């Protein structure tokens, strides 16, 4: 393992796993950790073997937030001048699907990181929240925007203004997460299963599917539907479309070419 604060592996065919591994600080997301995370994600993004990524932490913490000790003495000129937190956005430029398996604390930047994933799964003790208000700040890595889009204004306001945490069951009920598992291990396995399923499909269709769903957050319904149709049309220029539909017609399993 080439990294200090994360572990990487390929536990299933086509699946890259990144495990946040800074146990003494409950996976607090320091700048060095985030640089490693970006570097591991870029490596999986570049690898033709990998079709999807699972991002997880420990049983105790997915991540307890940005590193408060690192931020404590930060000044405005430093924060603004160096565009503190900007590198977090790199995660959202990854085109391969990311499945987050959240066990334990996912607070502040940890909650924001989980919300950047494409699919969010929770274990029984997932504990989400945006406690920044208690530190005299506000969410800074998209929390106010992604949470509001996912759960609506009243709940988002409640969470951001009170700093009160919410459970995995609530996250699932509100549509922020798509599943809650009975054990932490089942949560990670479930994320790996889903990632493996995705990695078993043609890479181009998967990339297009992620792109069009994300477009729903950026545009009007009319424009979004048009955008989807254009990408849909474009896939008829791929081998995989011919392979997939021919295999169906011949009752065979498709052998994707990713072209
Ligand atoms: C730095 C952290 C940390 C954090 C925990 N630790 N969270 N260090 N940054 N965000 C460290 C503790 O200081 C402690 O180190 C060790 O991890 C274990 O934590 P404990 O507090 O002893 O554990 P516990 O009593 O189980 O409490 C767990 C906890 C609590 C409820 C999660 O640690 C906590 O409230 N953490 C802060 C959560 C938070 O406010 N997150 C938002 C951060 S702001 P030592 O050395 O004492 O053993 C943020 C801004 C985002 O994320 C904006 C842009 C990204």
């Amino acid at each position: 393992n080439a990294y200090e604060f994360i572990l990487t592996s390929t536990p299933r065919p086509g699946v890259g796993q990144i495990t946040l591994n800074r146990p003494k600080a409950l996976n607090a997301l320091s700048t060095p950790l985030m640089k490693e995370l970006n570097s591991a994600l870029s490596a999986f993004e570049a690898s033709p073997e990998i079709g999807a990524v699972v991002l997880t932490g420990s049983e105790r913490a997915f991540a307890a937030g940005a590193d408060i000790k690192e931020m404590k003495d930060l000044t405005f000129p430093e924060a603004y001048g160096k565009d503190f937190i900007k590198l977090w956005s790199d995660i959202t430029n990854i085109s391969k699907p990311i499945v987050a398996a959240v066990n334990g604390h996912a607070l502040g930047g940890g909650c924001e990181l989980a919300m950047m994933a494409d699919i969010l799964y929770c274990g029984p003790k997932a504990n989400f929240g945006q406690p920044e208000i208690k530190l005299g700040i506000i969410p800074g890595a998209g929390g106010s925007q992604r949470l509001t889009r996912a759960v609506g204004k009243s709940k988002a306001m409640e969470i951001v203004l009170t700093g009160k945490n919410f459970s995995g069951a609530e996250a699932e009920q509100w549509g922020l997460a798509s599943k809650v598992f009975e054990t932490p291990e089942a949560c990670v396995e479930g994320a790996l299963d889903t990632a493996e399923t995705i990695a078993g499909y043609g890479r181009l269709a998967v990339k297009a599917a992620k792109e069009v769903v994300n477009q729903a957050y950026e545009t009007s319904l009319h424009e979004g539907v048009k955008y989807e149709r254009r990408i849909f049309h474009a896939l008829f220029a791929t081998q995989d479309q011919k392979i997939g539909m021919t295999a169906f017609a011949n009752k065979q399993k498709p052998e994707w070419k990713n072209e």
Side-chain angles (χ1 to χ4, degrees):
N1 192 58
Y3 300 108
E4 192 179 346
F5 304 116
I6 62 173
L7 302 168
T8 60
S9 59
T10 48
R12 306 276 188 94
V15 178
Q17 180 173 339
I18 301 175
T19 306
L20 305 175
N21 185 36
R22 202 187 159 205
K24 283 185 189 141
L26 299 182
N27 294 334
L29 303 165
S30 62
T31 299
L33 185 154
M34 291 307 291
K35 285 188 174 157
E36 291 191 357
L37 175 58
N38 277 337
S39 144
L41 281 170
S42 313
F44 284 142
E45 175 86 342
S47 165
E49 313 302 322
I50 298 297
V53 176
V54 168
L55 175 62
T56 193
S58 70
E59 203 173 314
R60 210 175 148 205
F62 178 75
D67 191 319
I68 299 170
K69 291 160 193 170
E70 179 185 335
M71 288 184 288
K72 187 172 79 66
D73 297 319
L74 194 69
T75 63
F76 172 78
E78 284 163 355
Y80 181 65
K82 292 186 182 156
D83 219 339
F84 181 58
I85 299 300
K86 182 165 179 260
L87 88 157
W88 289 49
S89 297
D90 292 358
I91 293 154
T92 60
N93 294 326
I94 298 295
S95 71
K96 291 176 183 176
I98 301 173
V99 186
V102 174
N103 288 300
H105 303 296
L107 301 174
C111 185
E112 293 174 301
L113 177 62
M115 290 192 291
M116 285 182 207
D118 300 300
I119 299 174
L120 211 171
Y121 287 169
C122 307
K125 294 199 174 141
N127 178 40
F128 294 93
Q130 298 289 163
E132 287 90 345
I133 199 82
K134 298 180 187 171
L135 299 168
I137 57 163
I138 62 168
S144 64
Q145 307 304 299
R146 291 198 177 88
L147 192 62
T148 307
R149 280 163 164 79
V151 306
K153 175 172 157 175
S154 181
K155 279 194 173 70
M157 283 289 189
E158 223 180 333
I159 291 159
V160 171
L161 291 172
T162 67
K164 280 189 187 152
N165 297 344
F166 57 99
S167 66
E170 286 172 309
E172 195 255 357
Q173 204 185 323
W174 301 339
L176 182 72
S178 47
K179 263 184 210 162
V180 189
F181 293 82
E182 283 181 7
T183 65
E185 295 78 18
C187 173
V188 176
E189 288 302 311
L192 291 171
D193 288 344
T194 295
E196 189 177 350
T197 299
I198 295 167
Y201 297 123
R203 301 272 189 268
L204 296 174
V206 167
K207 180 173 177 163
K210 171 166 170 170
E211 188 180 337
V212 296
V213 173
N214 275 332
Q215 191 66 14
Y217 287 94
E218 307 293 343
T219 191
S220 69
L221 179 61
H222 180 78
E223 288 300 319
V225 170
K226 218 160 90 179
Y227 188 90
E228 179 196 71
R229 193 161 63 236
R230 293 289 178 254
I231 305 280
F232 169 73
H233 290 160
L235 290 174
F236 286 86
T238 67
Q239 288 282 318
D240 282 350
Q241 174 268 325
K242 303 289 178 287
I243 289 165
M245 293 194 181
T246 305
F248 176 84
N250 295 339
K251 303 188 190 299
Q252 288 167 340
K253 198 174 170 285
E255 298 281 347
W256 306 114
K257 283 197 170 163
N258 303 323
E259 52 189 55

